[in-house]
Amino acid sequence: MPPVTLEKRNGIALLIIDNPPVNALGHAVRAGLAESIRAAEADGTVEAIVIASAGKTFIAGADIKEFNAPPQPPSLPELLAAIDACKKPFVAAIDGAALGGGLEVALTCDFRLATPASTLGLPEVKLGLIPGAGGTQRLPRLIDPAAALSMMAEGNPKTAEAAARLGIVDEIIPAENLLDVAVTFARQRAAEGAKRRLSERTPASAERAAVEEAATKILKKRAGEPQVEAIVRCVRAAFEESFKDATRLERELFLQLKENERSKALRYAFFAEREAARKPQVAEGAAPRPVKQVAIIGGGTMGSGIAIAFLDAGIATTVIETDEAGASRAAERISGNYQSAVDRGRISAEQKEDRLSLLKTEVGLDKVGQADLVVEAAFEDMAVKREIFSTLDRIAKPRAVLATNTSYLDVNEIAAATARPEDVLGMHFFSPANIMQLVEVVRASATSDETLLTAIATAKMLQKTPVVVGVGHGFVGNRMLARRSEQVDRLLLEGASPSEIDAALTEFGFKMGPCAMGDLAGLDISWRMRKATGRRAPAADALCEAGRLGQKTGRGYYLYPDASRKGVPDPEAETIIQAAAEREGIARRTISRQEILQRLIYPMINEGARILEEGIAERPADIDVIWLHGYAWPRWRGGPMYYADQMGLATIAAELERLSTDQKDESLAPAGLLASLAREGKGFHS
Ligand code: T1G
């Protein structure tokens, strides 16, 4: 099937794009469109042209996969110039997503019809790019220029209705009538001799001040993002330059950004998320079981957050506690969360009631009833979990999926407490569970394919990003985080301050550094874990022993004067850490920011290599997605394993060798996979 077909309906040329899965404007589509436009223009019986598409997407934009290769003509701007030059009117018949270059095609048409479910947007900014085929010039000429600037800087799509209100869509047409209406509409426009070239307009000069006001806010909020600065430059050029000169500037900036490392990492992240979400290796015909009602065991911070995620998805949820007080606290916590969302205007009071109407809080495991999925979010203790699963085994309905939210523990051991290990797996949510995207879906050795697929489908139903991982202490994310935490403590003992450590990572792109994060979460959580597993972190242990547990005690790594949320350096903490260093016989010195950064990140990458060797994660992209969605790794750096390839594995291996020798810690020596790839001059992704 050719990617573009041309049919004629009583003098109207109908161009249909059919390039599954999302009608991306790859080279074959661009060439097919150019050919069809030429034919339609040359055909004297054709009065007007309609561009439509097959499938559930209008046009998803340029083919992002082509960006790393030299462009093949015709480029999208060349194609759109042909549409613009054509004397016959063009009508875009949009059904589905019209994104990026897809919306640019529609904007170059003279008229735009869309079905109610369509979405229209210019998301290039999320790929570190800008619209590169006239979008920065046509949109501000079509709608309010300040609204156009904000729409391009945010990159979020508009619904068809919102797009019609803005003036992007001329009419909203029911899907079943779209093509017929579009053909009739085109014929009428042809009869009127109507051409509406946006390239011949100029933005409303009266709106310039509003554009500058919006630009100032956007540049402040998005400081450091070159693609946002470029969009502002292009919208300003719409007022100051001819369409031709401004589109030349746009193209120049687009091509520069396309080669920018930030954009390459953002494009990698886009595909990595889709790769990680691919269906895992399962038996032919295996399918997820329906999940209509769930039970959450434990209504604490995690349990309530998980319950909110299900309630937000409209799924009936029972939260089960051990006593009435616990059940009431869970109900209050969940209701309070929704009330603050109402107060902030994020949801309406009615939506709050709708969601709470799906919630029941009960006492006793026997209340799991007919839940299709049970998520255990009880105390992080193996005996407690085994007891719960043994009971669930007896009372949960047959083939109910029994998931544990454990962050670290052995899911095989938990499953062994039941007579149905095939129904058991891990669903490791990240706090706050109703906000964080990531769910590590832990496939235990006996987990059935249906159970696995059910958990994956459920995570997607919650609008979350599931990544399948294997059983191992801390699975993927927390296991790598532990290596970073060890270095945090070691760096503190060796002389780095909490501020220097945090600054190394915030400068790298994290929103918050590990010391501030520890103070926020409470230093006692990991302290308790260390004591339970016989591990030590002399600096953090000393702070905890001094009652410095973080924000909750007004002091931890930092001091929080007057219970403020912003910590300040505290000489008392430094004194405690120095004393701990002396007890450990560790000499202190000034440590450079680069060494701090390398020591925080390279051991994590090394652990990621071991995780791949052990098969706990299937692909490097899975590890990157876990860190993007579970730990807020800066998206424009792609993820730890992507970053490793950029740094070069040989460089990382050499630094790890040095660290291992300095710290007399064999576990810091390069993992086998990392060392062998480094020797071969390869990367994790090559
Ligand atoms: N290019 C190449 N492949 C794409 C693609 C694209 N634009 N969009 C999606 N895919 C692949 C995706 O990798 C997956 O592949 C499959 O299609 C289904 O995608 C010149 C420069 C359209 C809302 O940023 O937002 O135009 O895993 O799982 O959930 O100015 O895809 O099956 O092998 O996401 O139904 C701007 C990106 C490009 C839109 C559909 N456009 N795509 O969501 O399916 S730059 C975008 C999406 C540009 C111009 C500029 C979504 C979707 P696989 P999916 P979905």
Side-chain angles (χ1 to χ4, degrees), residues 33 151 155 232 267 325 396 415-416 438 464 478 517 542 575 598:
L33 278 172
M151 185 170 163
V232 169
R267 288 162 5 217
L438 179 65
K464 290 188 178 293
N478 281 349
M517 185 68 88
T575 305
Q598 288 175 351

Side-chain angles (χ1 to χ4, degrees), residues 509-522:
F510 282 90
K511 290 271 185 298
M512 190 183 263
C515 296
M517 185 68 88
D519 277 354
L520 177 65

Side-chain angles (χ1 to χ4, degrees), residues 203-471:
S205 53
E207 301 305 326
R208 180 65 193 265
V211 166
E212 287 308 321
E213 192 183 333
T216 306
K217 286 187 192 133
I218 286 165
L219 289 171
K220 184 163 181 287
K221 184 180 166 198
R222 309 286 293 276
E225 293 184 63
Q227 71 275 26
V228 176
E229 290 154 26
I231 286 176
V232 169
R233 270 188 70 187
C234 288
V235 173
R236 283 174 173 155
F239 288 87
E240 294 159 1
E241 315 272 347
S242 68
F243 181 83
K244 185 165 178 285
D245 291 345
T247 43
R248 184 182 302 118
L249 170 69
E250 173 196 77
R251 192 73 186 160
E252 192 184 294
L253 293 173
F254 167 74
L255 294 173
Q256 279 170 21
L257 287 164
K258 192 158 75 86
E259 300 313 316
N260 183 305
E261 287 307 321
R262 292 175 78 116
S263 177
K264 289 179 181 172
L266 289 167
R267 288 162 5 217
Y268 162 77
F270 174 86
F271 290 116
E273 286 163 342
R274 285 151 180 84
E275 198 180 348
R278 284 232 176 87
K279 196 171 168 183
Q281 299 295 328
V282 291
E284 192 62 37
R289 298 196 280 266
V291 173
K292 298 271 186 287
Q293 51 181 308
V294 302
I296 313 291
I297 313 299
T301 307
M302 281 309 289
S304 296
I306 295 168
I308 291 167
F310 279 100
L311 295 170
D312 287 349
I315 295 169
T317 302
T318 301
V319 174
I320 293 174
E321 261 291 349
T322 50
D323 57 28
E324 282 305 338
S328 307
R329 274 197 306 276
E332 281 153 30
R333 187 182 267 123
I334 294 168
S335 175
N337 176 284
Y338 279 126
Q339 188 52 51
S340 65
V342 170
D343 298 344
R344 287 203 303 268
R346 287 208 9 249
I347 60 171
S348 67
E350 192 187 350
Q351 283 172 310
K352 170 192 166 193
E353 292 317 316
D354 289 349
R355 291 178 199 182
L356 289 176
S357 68
L358 295 168
L359 173 65
K360 281 195 290 181
T361 51
E362 299 283 1
V363 174
L365 288 177
D366 57 312
K367 297 294 188 306
V368 290
Q370 291 306 302
D372 307 300
L373 165 68
V374 181
V375 182
E376 170 272 317
F379 193 62
E380 191 71 354
D381 174 278
M382 182 55 83
V384 168
K385 292 185 184 306
R386 281 176 58 85
E387 172 61 28
I388 288 171
F389 274 78
S390 167
T391 307
L392 289 175
D393 187 31
R394 290 198 308 279
I395 58 174
K397 76 174 187 183
R399 293 165 56 72
V401 170
L402 308 179
T404 172
N405 173 56
T406 182
S407 309
Y408 286 90
L409 300 177
D410 183 336
V411 182
N412 289 324
E413 198 177 332
I414 295 172
T418 74
R420 47 168 149 170
E422 66 279 4
D423 293 338
V424 180
L425 82 174
M427 287 184 81
H428 177 211
F429 290 83
F430 283 71
S431 184
N434 54 310
I435 306 287
M436 293 302 278
Q437 283 275 304
L438 179 65
V439 180
E440 281 182 325
V441 178
V442 187
R443 187 177 201 169
S445 48
T447 302
S448 73
D449 290 346
E450 285 77 11
T451 298
L452 181 68
L453 293 175
T454 304
I456 292 169
T458 301
K460 288 182 176 175
M461 199 164 43
L462 301 180
Q463 308 291 316
K464 290 188 178 293
T465 304
V467 180
V468 178
V469 299
V471 175

Side-chain angles (χ1 to χ4, degrees), residues 21-22 24 56-57 60-65 67 76 99-101 104 123-124 127 129-133 254 270-271 274 278:
V22 294
K56 66 180 175 61
T57 308
D63 185 335
I64 308 169
K65 294 189 187 76
F67 288 167
L76 190 55
L99 298 174
E104 290 175 303
E124 290 88 339
L127 298 170
L129 300 167
I130 63 171
F254 167 74
F270 174 86
F271 290 116
R274 285 151 180 84
R278 284 232 176 87

